[in-house]
Amino acid sequence: MAFQFHHLSLRLPTTTSCISSKTQFGYALKPKNLTFGKPKRLFFSVRAMGSSASSPDSSTSQETGDYKSISNDEWKNRLTKEQFYITRQKGTERAFTGEYWNTKTPGTYHCICCDTPLFESSTKFDSGTGWPSYYQPIGDNVKSKLDLSIIIMPRQEVLCAVCDAHLGHVFDDGPPPTGKRYCINSASLKLQPKQESALH
Protein backbone atom coordinates (compact mmCIF):
# COMPACT_ATOMS: atom_id res chain seq x y z
CA MET A 1 0.00 0.00 0.00
CA ALA A 2 1.47 3.40 -0.90
CA PHE A 3 0.39 6.96 -0.09
CA GLN A 4 1.40 9.95 -2.18
CA PHE A 5 1.84 13.34 -0.52
CA HIS A 6 3.20 15.69 -3.17
CA HIS A 7 6.89 14.67 -3.36
CA LEU A 8 6.82 12.26 -0.42
CA SER A 9 6.08 8.62 -1.10
CA LEU A 10 5.21 6.48 1.92
CA ARG A 11 5.14 2.72 1.55
CA LEU A 12 3.93 0.55 4.42
CA PRO A 13 5.87 -2.71 4.92
CA THR A 14 4.03 -6.00 4.80
CA THR A 15 4.48 -6.44 8.55
CA THR A 16 2.87 -3.81 10.75
CA SER A 17 3.09 -3.15 14.41
CA CYS A 18 1.42 -0.86 16.87
CA ILE A 19 2.72 2.30 18.45
CA SER A 20 3.69 1.50 22.02
CA SER A 21 1.51 3.09 24.67
CA LYS A 22 4.72 4.37 26.23
CA THR A 23 5.81 6.19 23.08
CA GLN A 24 5.72 9.95 23.51
CA PHE A 25 6.49 12.57 20.96
CA GLY A 26 8.50 15.68 21.84
CA TYR A 27 9.68 18.78 20.10
CA ALA A 28 13.19 20.19 19.96
CA LEU A 29 14.78 23.27 18.45
CA LYS A 30 16.26 22.72 15.03
CA PRO A 31 20.07 23.02 15.17
CA LYS A 32 21.29 25.90 13.06
CA ASN A 33 24.23 24.02 11.59
CA LEU A 34 22.34 21.10 10.06
CA THR A 35 21.12 21.06 6.48
CA PHE A 36 19.41 18.19 4.73
CA GLY A 37 18.08 17.50 1.25
CA LYS A 38 14.50 16.48 0.58
CA PRO A 39 13.76 12.83 1.36
CA LYS A 40 12.74 11.07 -1.80
CA ARG A 41 11.19 7.90 -0.43
CA LEU A 42 10.65 6.74 3.12
CA PHE A 43 9.84 3.22 4.21
CA PHE A 44 8.66 2.90 7.78
CA SER A 45 6.97 0.70 10.33
CA VAL A 46 4.29 2.53 12.29
CA ARG A 47 5.98 1.72 15.62
CA ALA A 48 9.49 1.26 14.56
CA MET A 49 11.25 4.24 13.43
CA GLY A 50 10.93 9.22 17.61
CA SER A 51 11.64 11.25 21.25
CA SER A 52 14.61 12.38 23.24
CA ALA A 53 17.53 14.64 22.65
CA SER A 54 21.25 14.14 23.03
CA SER A 55 23.36 17.23 22.54
CA PRO A 56 26.75 16.91 20.87
CA ASP A 57 29.81 17.67 22.96
CA SER A 58 33.17 18.18 21.30
CA SER A 59 34.93 16.78 24.37
CA THR A 60 33.53 13.28 23.76
CA SER A 61 32.92 13.30 20.00
CA GLN A 62 35.57 12.58 17.42
CA GLU A 63 37.10 15.41 15.45
CA THR A 64 34.65 16.62 12.83
CA GLY A 65 37.24 16.98 10.10
CA ASP A 66 35.68 17.93 6.77
CA TYR A 67 32.84 15.37 6.80
CA LYS A 68 30.10 18.00 6.71
CA SER A 69 31.55 19.56 3.56
CA ILE A 70 31.68 16.32 1.56
CA SER A 71 29.49 16.49 -1.54
CA ASN A 72 26.76 13.99 -2.38
CA ASP A 73 28.81 12.80 -5.33
CA GLU A 74 31.72 11.98 -3.05
CA TRP A 75 29.43 10.16 -0.59
CA LYS A 76 28.07 8.13 -3.50
CA ASN A 77 31.63 7.04 -4.30
CA ARG A 78 32.34 6.08 -0.69
CA LEU A 79 29.08 4.27 0.11
CA THR A 80 26.93 1.56 -1.40
CA LYS A 81 23.65 2.59 -2.96
CA GLU A 82 21.69 1.49 0.11
CA GLN A 83 24.11 3.14 2.56
CA PHE A 84 23.86 6.42 0.64
CA TYR A 85 20.06 6.24 0.54
CA ILE A 86 19.83 5.59 4.29
CA THR A 87 22.52 7.91 5.66
CA ARG A 88 22.51 10.84 3.25
CA GLN A 89 18.90 10.80 1.98
CA LYS A 90 17.20 9.81 5.27
CA GLY A 91 15.90 6.50 3.98
CA THR A 92 14.71 3.54 6.05
CA GLU A 93 15.48 -0.10 5.35
CA ARG A 94 12.69 -2.66 5.55
CA ALA A 95 12.15 -4.35 8.90
CA PHE A 96 13.91 -7.69 9.48
CA THR A 97 16.13 -7.23 6.42
CA GLY A 98 19.15 -5.34 7.81
CA GLU A 99 22.45 -7.02 8.59
CA TYR A 100 22.41 -6.31 12.34
CA TRP A 101 18.76 -6.51 13.44
CA ASN A 102 19.32 -9.88 15.14
CA THR A 103 23.11 -9.79 15.64
CA LYS A 104 24.37 -10.70 19.12
CA THR A 105 28.11 -10.42 18.43
CA PRO A 106 29.91 -8.43 21.18
CA GLY A 107 31.57 -5.29 19.89
CA THR A 108 31.10 -1.65 18.97
CA TYR A 109 28.82 -0.29 16.24
CA HIS A 110 30.47 2.52 14.27
CA CYS A 111 29.08 5.07 11.81
CA ILE A 112 29.38 3.66 8.28
CA CYS A 113 30.25 7.14 6.96
CA CYS A 114 32.92 8.43 9.35
CA ASP A 115 33.73 5.46 11.62
CA THR A 116 32.66 7.25 14.82
CA PRO A 117 31.75 4.72 17.55
CA LEU A 118 28.01 5.06 18.16
CA PHE A 119 26.67 2.12 20.21
CA GLU A 120 28.09 -0.70 22.33
CA SER A 121 26.64 -4.19 21.84
CA SER A 122 26.01 -4.33 25.60
CA THR A 123 23.24 -1.73 25.14
CA LYS A 124 21.57 -3.59 22.27
CA PHE A 125 18.22 -5.30 22.98
CA ASP A 126 15.50 -7.15 21.12
CA SER A 127 12.73 -4.61 20.51
CA GLY A 128 10.73 -6.91 18.25
CA THR A 129 10.65 -4.21 15.56
CA GLY A 130 13.07 -5.78 13.09
CA TRP A 131 15.68 -3.02 13.41
CA PRO A 132 18.78 -2.93 15.63
CA SER A 133 17.74 -1.23 18.88
CA TYR A 134 19.87 0.25 21.67
CA TYR A 135 18.96 1.91 24.96
CA GLN A 136 22.00 4.20 25.06
CA PRO A 137 24.55 5.68 22.63
CA ILE A 138 28.25 6.19 23.29
CA GLY A 139 28.82 9.55 24.96
CA ASP A 140 27.50 12.40 22.83
CA ASN A 141 28.46 10.85 19.50
CA VAL A 142 24.75 10.59 18.65
CA LYS A 143 22.37 13.56 18.52
CA SER A 144 18.73 14.03 17.62
CA LYS A 145 16.44 16.59 15.98
CA LEU A 146 12.73 16.94 15.34
CA ASP A 147 11.54 15.06 12.25
CA LEU A 148 8.28 16.28 10.71
CA SER A 149 8.54 14.31 7.47
CA ILE A 150 5.39 12.46 8.54
CA ILE A 151 3.05 15.25 9.64
CA ILE A 152 0.74 13.01 11.66
CA MET A 153 3.64 11.38 13.52
CA PRO A 154 6.35 13.80 14.73
CA ARG A 155 9.49 11.91 15.71
CA GLN A 156 13.05 12.52 16.85
CA GLU A 157 15.58 11.74 14.13
CA VAL A 158 18.90 10.25 15.27
CA LEU A 159 22.11 11.42 13.57
CA CYS A 160 25.82 10.91 13.87
CA ALA A 161 27.14 13.98 15.71
CA VAL A 162 30.31 14.00 13.62
CA CYS A 163 29.12 13.68 10.00
CA ASP A 164 25.32 14.19 10.27
CA ALA A 165 24.59 10.74 8.87
CA HIS A 166 20.95 9.73 9.32
CA LEU A 167 20.84 6.69 11.62
CA GLY A 168 17.18 6.20 12.52
CA HIS A 169 14.88 7.50 15.28
CA VAL A 170 14.67 7.43 19.07
CA PHE A 171 11.57 6.63 21.16
CA ASP A 172 10.65 6.70 24.84
CA ASP A 173 9.57 3.07 25.11
CA GLY A 174 12.92 1.37 25.71
CA PRO A 175 14.12 -0.66 28.70
CA PRO A 176 15.84 0.56 31.89
CA PRO A 177 18.04 2.24 32.79
CA THR A 178 17.36 4.95 30.16
CA GLY A 179 13.88 4.05 28.93
CA LYS A 180 15.03 4.96 25.41
CA ARG A 181 14.83 2.92 22.21
CA TYR A 182 17.30 4.03 19.55
CA CYS A 183 15.86 2.35 16.46
CA ILE A 184 18.73 2.28 13.96
CA ASN A 185 19.18 1.21 10.36
CA SER A 186 21.76 -1.55 9.90
CA ALA A 187 23.00 0.13 6.72
CA SER A 188 24.17 3.13 8.75
CA LEU A 189 26.34 0.96 11.00
CA LYS A 190 29.58 -1.03 10.86
CA LEU A 191 30.18 -3.55 13.63
CA GLN A 192 33.69 -3.97 14.98
CA PRO A 193 33.70 -7.24 16.96
CA LYS A 194 35.08 -7.05 20.50
CA GLN A 195 38.37 -8.77 19.74
CA GLU A 196 38.98 -6.39 16.81
CA SER A 197 37.94 -3.32 18.84
CA ALA A 198 40.43 -4.22 21.58
CA LEU A 199 43.31 -3.86 19.11
CA HIS A 200 42.51 -0.21 18.33
Side-chain angles (χ1 to χ4, degrees):
M1 179 184 300
F3 299 90
Q4 298 289 336
F5 296 96
H6 299 290
H7 300 291
L8 178 62
S9 174
L10 303 181
R11 180 176 300 173
L12 293 176
T14 55
T15 58
T16 59
S17 51
C18 299
I19 297 176
S20 167
S21 60
K22 294 183 181 179
T23 300
Q24 301 175 1
F25 301 108
Y27 291 84
L29 293 176
K30 180 178 180 181
K32 294 181 179 180
N33 63 340
L34 298 180
T35 57
F36 301 100
K38 294 182 179 179
K40 293 184 165 64
R41 178 174 293 178
L42 176 66
F43 297 98
F44 70 98
S45 165
V46 173
R47 175 176 183 264
M49 287 287 188
S51 66
S52 92
S54 172
S55 59
D57 184 335
S58 58
S59 65
T60 56
S61 297
Q62 291 188 348
E63 294 297 324
T64 57
D66 293 326
Y67 289 113
K68 294 180 182 181
S69 64
I70 295 177
S71 68
N72 279 339
D73 287 340
E74 178 60 26
W75 281 124
K76 285 180 181 179
N77 290 332
R78 297 187 182 195
L79 305 170
T80 67
K81 185 176 181 180
E82 181 183 29
Q83 289 167 350
F84 177 80
Y85 168 66
I86 299 294
T87 62
R88 311 324 302 187
Q89 297 184 307
K90 302 182 186 297
T92 302
E93 64 198 13
R94 291 184 178 275
F96 304 101
T97 64
E99 180 179 0
Y100 300 125
W101 77 269
N102 197 33
T103 298
K104 296 176 175 59
T105 304
T108 303
Y109 291 86
H110 291 235
C111 175
I112 195 67
C113 294
C114 68
D115 202 34
T116 298
L118 303 175
F119 300 95
E120 294 289 355
S121 60
S122 58
T123 66
K124 191 173 188 284
F125 68 97
D126 184 5
S127 64
T129 62
W131 284 275
S133 298
Y134 311 83
Y135 61 76
Q136 180 175 293
I138 295 174
D140 292 317
N141 290 348
V142 168
K143 61 185 178 180
S144 66
K145 66 181 287 287
L146 181 64
D147 178 3
L148 293 175
S149 59
I150 303 175
I151 301 300
I152 62 174
M153 192 172 75
R155 302 167 297 167
Q156 284 291 327
E157 178 187 7
V158 176
L159 307 111
C160 172
V162 174
C163 71
D164 290 343
H166 171 78
L167 307 174
H169 292 86
V170 61
F171 300 83
D172 282 332
D173 57 4
T178 65
K180 302 298 182 184
R181 172 169 59 92
Y182 288 82
C183 196
I184 308 299
N185 292 284
S186 292
S188 68
L189 303 173
K190 176 175 60 177
L191 173 62
Q192 287 193 7
K194 189 173 183 179
Q195 58 271 22
E196 181 181 337
S197 299
L199 299 176
H200 296 283

